[in-house]
């Protein structure tokens, strides 16, 4: 059995082959240009590397509800050419194997939940804080979706007293993404996050909003584990600050797991998505 | 088939009998005093009114995870005598029928989801805003729990500019319950909510926090319907204000159902809990 994975991001697509334990045999990175060009490269990859099933995680928003006429589509993205693109429909015309379709963050969440840092618990949330903020929720070992997928990057939080930063989101006066994602760090400091000193006070501000988000995830989903990944979280000094602020905000209201096992980095690093894709391919096969 | 329901609140317990379509045959209200006294009355009720199964919704926090040694318990409530009380264990010694155990708000959420206002959709959230704020989430027609039940009344929101009200919660500097539940309205105005004029500006403030909570529920769970019930929501003028503020805060970021069908009052009024209990009894029977 050879499994395939697609991690479809707004900047690049990763296509890979591997096995049901998450071993990656081969991978290629394809720039995200136009659907015609990028998808032709995807089709060619899986023609050259035949697989038994493919797990796909896509940037969004996407249609994830099988009853929705836009199921399988990338829907309202501002990315030129990709709005209203029938991703799954296209793939079905080019590969004749079972496909699993979900968001890029759900795919990564599934990888972490199956064989990553959350493999021993049934309920976990994977949050990536980078160019934007995305999150995938695993509930009782399955991907959680409602009417559509979650958009947890846009949850409202309490503006810190004295923080007059203009929320970096075209839609909202305050939200996690607008206050704490990479571009917000850039605007707050005038440099790229990786060039900001480890002890710059901006990190305490960023950590505060992330801690508030962890409180809201806790009282909403009661997960066993919250996984923080993405470019901003490469600043490892954030973890202890986030845990400390989280504890102060939750203030003992409810019992949670030990914080160094509750708010944690990804176990698979930058591989969460591709590995998740392989495991979702396995799931698609078992359900086919 | 005769079904039983218990709606166990901090002030009173309601015990009832009825059928699998939610018809209530009989009900009694029992004051919540000590476990010994209150439970003796519950036992006596179901001795006098034999049933085939009972659905129980209890005030909390409670243990809802079958793997937890405190499953079936009321756990850390400050209510004298009820902390660490083995509710389900007690009942099992006195009635020999299948039992379904969940929170009072999950019970009400299930009633609304099965035969109430949300009967036609798979994903709904029931929020009661009264003495406190509680919420139950129905996902794909089932009660959602994580590691434990949700505590959505304690989600963090953005403090309104100029609102210097001290959050009315012993744990948090800001949360939905502390800013917008009945006692907060009382402290803000110096009178009981029912005595506050319909056009008092306090209602716009309360509606704002509830609207923010609806945004967070939307981006978290992507429900089909958000049901608002409880004492505060008897102020019907709140609904249009909440919908208007919700729309302004979400600001078109994602598509949601028509707002007058999305943010709605309960369909079963004050009966959501008891009816939910009967239907959970039916579920317990089918799973037995």
């Amino acid at each position: 059995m050879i499994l395939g994975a697609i991690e479809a991001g707004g900047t690049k697509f990763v296509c890979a082959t591997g096995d049901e334990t998450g071993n990656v045999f081969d991978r290629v990175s394809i720039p995200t240009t136009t659907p015609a060009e990028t998808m032709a490269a995807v089709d060619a990859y899986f023609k050259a590397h035949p697989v038994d099933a493919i797990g796909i995680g896509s940037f969004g928003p996407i249609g994830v509800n099988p009853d929705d006429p836009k199921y399988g589509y990338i829907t309202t993205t501002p990315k030129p050419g990709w709005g209203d693109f029938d991703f799954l429909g296209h793939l079905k015309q080019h590969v004749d194997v079972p496909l699993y379709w979900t968001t890029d963050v759900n795919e990564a969440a599934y990888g972490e939940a199956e064989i990553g840092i959350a493999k021993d618990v049934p309920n976990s949330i994977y949050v990536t804080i980078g160019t934007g903020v995305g999150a995938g929720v695993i509930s009782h070992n399955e991907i959680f979706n409602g009417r559509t997928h979650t958009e947890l990057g846009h949850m409202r939080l309490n503006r810190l007293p004295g923080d007059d930063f203009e929320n970096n989101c075209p839609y909202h006066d305050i939200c996690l993404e607008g206050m704490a994602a990479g571009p917000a760090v850039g605007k707050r400091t005038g440099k790229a996050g990786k060039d900001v000193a480890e002890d710059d006070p901006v990190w305490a501000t960023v950590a505060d909003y992330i801690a508030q988000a962890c409180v809201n995830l806790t009282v909403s989903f009661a997960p066993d584990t919250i996984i923080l990944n993405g470019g901003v979280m490469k600043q490892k000094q954030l973890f202890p600050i986030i845990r400390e602020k989280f504890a102060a905000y939750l203030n003992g209201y409810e019992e949670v797991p030990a914080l160094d096992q509750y708010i944690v980095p990804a176990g698979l690093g930058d591989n969460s998505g591709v590995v998740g894709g392989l495991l979702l391919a396995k799931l698609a096969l078992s359900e086919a």
Side-chain angles (χ1 to χ4, degrees), chain A:
Chain A
M1 182 164 59
I2 299 183
L3 300 170
I6 302 174
E7 188 182 11
T11 307
K12 67 174 198 285
F13 278 38
V14 177
C15 294
T17 60
D19 68 17
E20 64 192 79
T21 65
N23 288 318
V24 178
F25 300 152
D26 183 79
R27 77 163 75 204
V28 67
S29 180
I30 299 164
T32 311
T33 58
T34 63
E37 195 172 61
T38 304
M39 295 307 293
V42 170
D43 301 338
Y45 180 81
F46 287 108
K47 194 154 195 177
H49 301 81
V51 292
D52 296 299
I54 306 174
I56 309 143
S58 174
F59 72 100
I62 69 173
V64 290
N65 182 341
D67 298 331
D68 181 342
K70 296 292 180 188
Y71 177 71
Y73 282 62
I74 296 177
T75 56
T76 57
T77 178
K79 201 168 171 59
W82 291 89
D84 218 30
F85 172 63
D86 183 8
F87 193 135
L88 194 62
H90 172 99
L91 261 191
K92 278 182 179 164
Q93 292 185 330
H94 292 82
V95 296
D96 186 25
V97 296
L99 303 173
Y100 194 104
W101 168 252
T102 193
T103 65
D104 48 0
V105 275
N106 280 341
E107 180 184 48
Y110 193 75
E112 290 293 336
E114 286 290 302
I115 65 169
I117 193 89
K119 69 179 160 46
D120 295 326
V121 294
N123 308 295
S124 57
I125 303 181
Y126 172 93
V127 187
T128 177
I129 307 167
T131 312
V133 176
V137 176
I138 303 294
S139 168
H140 300 279
N141 302 306
E142 294 185 4
I143 290 173
F144 175 89
N145 287 310
R147 172 178 40 80
T148 181
H149 51 80
T150 63
E151 287 285 0
L152 284 159
H154 295 272
M155 76 166 80
R156 298 179 66 80
L157 301 167
N158 190 28
R159 181 176 283 275
L160 285 177
D163 182 12
D164 58 1
F165 178 68
E166 189 187 344
N167 194 50
N168 191 43
C169 165
Y171 292 94
H172 303 131
D173 60 320
I174 188 157
C175 61
L176 173 60
E177 178 170 302
M179 297 306 276
V185 175
K187 285 201 180 172
R188 284 174 180 277
T189 61
K191 23 187 159 168
K194 66 181 173 45
D195 299 326
V196 177
E198 200 178 295
D199 59 354
D200 190 291
V202 75
W203 296 123
T205 302
V206 165
D208 191 286
Y209 290 110
I210 298 172
Q212 292 195 51
C214 289
V215 169
N216 282 0
L217 295 176
T218 297
V219 300
S220 300
F221 293 102
D224 298 296
T225 306
I226 297 172
I227 303 158
L228 302 178
N229 204 5
V232 168
M233 297 312 303
K234 293 203 191 290
Q235 304 287 330
K236 293 299 174 202
Q237 76 279 13
L238 286 174
F239 281 94
I241 315 176
I242 292 168
R243 291 184 191 119
E244 187 186 338
K245 288 176 185 280
F246 170 84
Y249 281 134
L250 190 64
N251 195 23
Y253 175 74
E254 62 172 284
E255 218 177 304
V256 292
L259 291 191
D260 59 353
Q261 292 161 56
Y262 185 56
I263 297 174
V264 296
L268 307 170
D270 295 334
N271 272 331
S272 315
V274 163
V275 168
L278 296 175
L279 298 170
L280 287 173
K282 180 183 162 195
L283 187 59
L285 257 188
S286 75
E287 289 177 351

